[in-house]
Amino acid sequence: MSVKIRLQRHGKKGKPFFHIVVADSRARRDGRFIEKLGTYNPITNPATIELNVDSAVQWLNNGAQPTDTARAILSYKGALYKKHLQGGVAKGAFDQAEAEKRFNTWLETKESKVQGKVDGLATAKSDAKKAALEAEVKVNEARIAAAAQADADAKAALEAANAPAEEVATEGEAAAETEENTEA
């Protein structure tokens, strides 16, 4: 029986969610499995991966073959590196304590890189929000200024329309007075 470490798809259409499982290679993709090792959610940024590393290493040592995507996930979480370190312990290159120390330092650096990406995404998102808010404030200020200018133009036009009527009325009165003076 050939055993594979592979992904089992769950989730709605367009929103995939995967279980990382150990299954017989003859079983259907979403069918029977031997053991569930973890989950993988590619929708989040960065992708959320929960994996039982020790169990994955145990299955790798027993001869389970990961698929390409599962191999990438196992490498990302350090299961393949831990298997490599255990091979060094078996050969006598270093002891188990040194292997654990190396794995923990690798894990810390990996977590800091992931946290750096998360922080970078958060700052980029907040910067985008600030830029959008500033752009909206500028648009609102321009709209208010345009409305004020339109009111001022309307007021000036109204005053201009009222002023000639008064002047015409004053001129008419002056002409009527001149006519009365000439008649008298």
Side-chain angles (χ1 to χ4, degrees):
M1 171 171 92
S2 177
V3 177
K4 292 230 178 238
I5 298 176
R6 63 184 182 194
L7 300 180
Q8 193 177 57
R9 192 180 197 285
H10 295 275
K12 296 195 297 188
K13 182 173 25 171
K15 296 183 187 245
F17 184 83
F18 298 96
H19 290 185
I20 304 166
V21 297
V22 177
D24 183 1
S25 63
R26 297 170 291 183
R28 293 178 297 143
R29 179 192 71 177
D30 299 335
R32 293 178 52 179
F33 61 90
I34 299 169
E35 182 181 350
K36 179 181 170 186
L37 299 178
T39 60
Y40 168 57
N41 185 1
I43 299 295
T44 60
N45 190 9
T48 306
I49 301 171
E50 295 177 11
L51 180 70
N52 184 347
V53 176
D54 295 328
S55 182
V57 170
Q58 183 65 37
W59 277 105
L60 289 170
N61 286 335
N62 288 340
Q65 294 297 314
T67 60
D68 293 338
T69 308
R71 180 178 296 281
I73 291 171
L74 293 174
S75 176
Y76 182 82
K77 292 305 278 186
L80 295 178
Y81 183 61
K82 192 167 189 175
K83 179 181 182 277
H84 171 74
L85 290 174
Q86 285 182 353
V89 170
K91 291 179 183 177
F94 43 84
D95 60 347
Q96 185 65 32
E98 177 67 23
E100 287 296 323
K101 182 180 141 194
R102 288 182 185 185
F103 181 72
N104 288 333
T105 56
W106 179 87
L107 200 59
E108 288 173 5
T109 57
K110 184 70 170 181
E111 287 176 1
S112 66
K113 286 180 185 178
V114 171
Q115 189 60 36
K117 182 175 181 180
V118 169
D119 294 341
L121 290 171
T123 56
K125 187 175 181 180
S126 66
D127 290 344
K129 274 188 174 182
K130 286 180 185 178
L133 182 63
E134 290 173 3
E136 188 176 336
V137 167
K138 287 181 182 178
V139 168
N140 285 341
E141 289 174 354
R143 189 178 298 133
I144 290 170
Q149 182 66 30
D151 287 344
D153 290 345
K155 197 179 269 186
L158 183 63
E159 288 177 3
N162 288 341
E166 290 175 3
E167 290 178 11
V168 170
T170 319
E171 290 175 7
E173 290 174 7
E177 286 179 14
T178 6
E179 288 179 13
E180 289 176 9
N181 289 342
T182 51
E183 291 175 4

